[in-house]
């Protein structure tokens, strides 16, 4: 037999010889110059061998001489593959078009991320990048080298010390390092720091100005805590009082907490919609029709096609609509009391400030009536009690 590659190009058939004198058939064919290979006996007593397509048609005179008949059991090689492909030309064309489409889509820039910018607007950076040929839906092979784009962007964007451009698949990331500018001190007028509420001082730290109260001092709202006038009656000057003062402030709340509450639960019924995603667009492909639920919540999950470091610009999105309903939940008197306190504490901390801490709570009055719990609670809160008051009359030296 010739080389396997040449044999495959010519085409090979596997045949079985039936009847007559098969051994004589093989011997005469070989003597006549035909190329036979893989000659063997099958389990049912037939002689099997491989022969090229060209030599197969030369077997006829030897078959007549030996009284044999041959049956083709297998076909291999390019001629047979081409025959199958011809029958499936539309499938082959569609497959080729599919891979061509993937290649074209993966050769576009689908997404540009800008990171590291704090003062500089993202739109200005993207506009400068576009001027250098870097924008969405641009062909990757038309982009300049990343180092070249980086240097040009630094020149085009004053206020930056370094810009890096990194391309991964269909996404480009622009990393920006901005110049560090010295912070400008705020221009403040001379002022006092006064109490924002009646309180007992727990901490006072005067950075500038003269402290007028001490720890454990009870102060009234509007009382000066740190004065913006330093010196004595004869020699003094005004400054911008700075510092922090914390104190205990009391809040009295009347709480009404119902013993029945409406809570949202999921019934387990759901409807799923699938979307084909290409770039930033989504095309619904299943789950058509209106939302069948009176109350519902929608959860979205998107999947993109990726290969190694490449994230292709198409994928699918699953949109799940979960049916929900409001159910009535009955609370015990203790649960209603705690729920009311939690709500009141949240309101107190929102009013007192982010650094406020509840130190104590005292229930002044409590009763349960008509499915509701009524309480009057006093909260003791440690918080900042500083408020600014500008000095209207400037004091001379």
């Amino acid at each position: 037999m010739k080389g396997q590659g040449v044999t495959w190009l010519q085409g090979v058939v596997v045949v079985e010889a039936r009847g007559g004198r098969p051994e004589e058939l093989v011997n005469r064919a070989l003597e006549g110059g035909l190329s036979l290979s893989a000659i063997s006996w099958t389990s049912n007593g037939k002689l099997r061998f491989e022969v090229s397509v060209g030599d197969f048609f030369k077997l006829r005179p030897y078959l007549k001489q030996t009284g044999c008949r041959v049956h083709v059991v297998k076909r291999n090689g390019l001629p047979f593959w081409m025959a199958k492909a011809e029958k499936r030309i539309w499938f082959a064309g569609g497959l080729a078009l599919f891979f061509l489409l993937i290649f074209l889509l993966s050769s576009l820039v689908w997404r540009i991320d800008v990171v590291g910018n704090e003062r500089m607007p993202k739109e200005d950076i993207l506009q400068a990048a576009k001027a250098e040929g870097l924008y969405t839906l641009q062909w990757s092979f038309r982009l300049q080298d990343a180092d070249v784009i980086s240097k040009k962007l630094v020149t085009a964007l004053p206020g930056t010390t370094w810009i890096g451009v990194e391309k991964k698949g269909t996404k480009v990331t622009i990393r920006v390092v901005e110049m560090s500018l010295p912070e400008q001190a705020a221009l403040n007028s001379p002022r006092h720091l006064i109490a924002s509420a009646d309180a007992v001082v727990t901490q006072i730290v005067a950075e500038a100005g003269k402290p007028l109260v001490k720890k454990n001092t009870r102060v009234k709202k509007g009382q000066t805590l740190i004065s913006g006038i330093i010196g004595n009656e004869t020699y003094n000057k005004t400054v911008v009082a700075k510092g922090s003062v914390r104190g205990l402030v009391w809040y009295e709340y009347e709480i009404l907490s119902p013993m029945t509450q409406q809570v949202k639960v999921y019934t387990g019924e759901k409807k799923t919609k699938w979307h084909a995603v290409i770039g930033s667009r989504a095309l619904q492909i299943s789950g058509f029709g209106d939302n069948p639920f009176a109350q519902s919540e929608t959860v979205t999950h998107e999947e993109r096609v990726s290969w190694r470091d490449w994230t292709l610009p198409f994928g699918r999105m699953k949109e799940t609509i979960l049916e929900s309903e409001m159910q009535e939940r009955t609370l015990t008197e203790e649960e209603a009391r705690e729920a009311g306190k939690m709500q009141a504490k949240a309101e107190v901390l929102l009013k007192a400030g982010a650094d406020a801490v509840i130190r104590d709570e005292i229930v002044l009055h409590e009763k349960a009536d008509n499915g509701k719990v009524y309480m009057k609670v006093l909260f003791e809160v440690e918080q900042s009690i500083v408020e600014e008051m500008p000095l209207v009359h400037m004091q001379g030296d």
Side-chain angles (χ1 to χ4, degrees), residues 256-330:
L256 188 155
S257 181
M259 298 176 67
T260 58
Q261 293 183 347
Q262 296 291 323
V263 295
K264 183 174 73 173
V265 298
Y266 298 107
T267 65
E269 296 296 325
K270 62 183 180 180
K271 179 180 180 179
T272 303
K273 297 181 179 181
W274 284 100
H275 302 259
V277 178
I278 301 178
S280 59
R281 298 181 179 275
L283 175 65
Q284 185 175 346
I285 56 178
S286 70
F288 296 97
D290 297 332
N291 184 351
F293 310 125
Q295 293 183 337
S296 63
E297 186 173 312
T298 301
V299 178
T300 302
H301 175 69
E302 184 175 332
E303 298 175 352
R304 294 274 183 171
V305 178
S306 60
W307 181 70
R308 294 186 179 180
D309 294 334
W310 290 64
T311 300
L312 299 180
F314 50 86
R316 63 178 185 173
M317 181 176 69
K318 181 181 182 182
E319 187 178 310
T320 306
I321 303 175
L322 304 172
E323 183 184 25
S324 63
E325 63 181 17
M326 300 302 294
Q327 292 185 358
E328 190 174 88
R329 178 188 173 199
T330 302

Side-chain angles (χ1 to χ4, degrees), residues 62-75:
Y62 304 108
L63 293 174
K64 290 182 178 180
Q65 295 171 11
T66 58
C68 294
R69 293 178 294 108
V70 291
H71 174 69
V72 178
V73 296
K74 192 174 182 181
R75 299 173 177 84

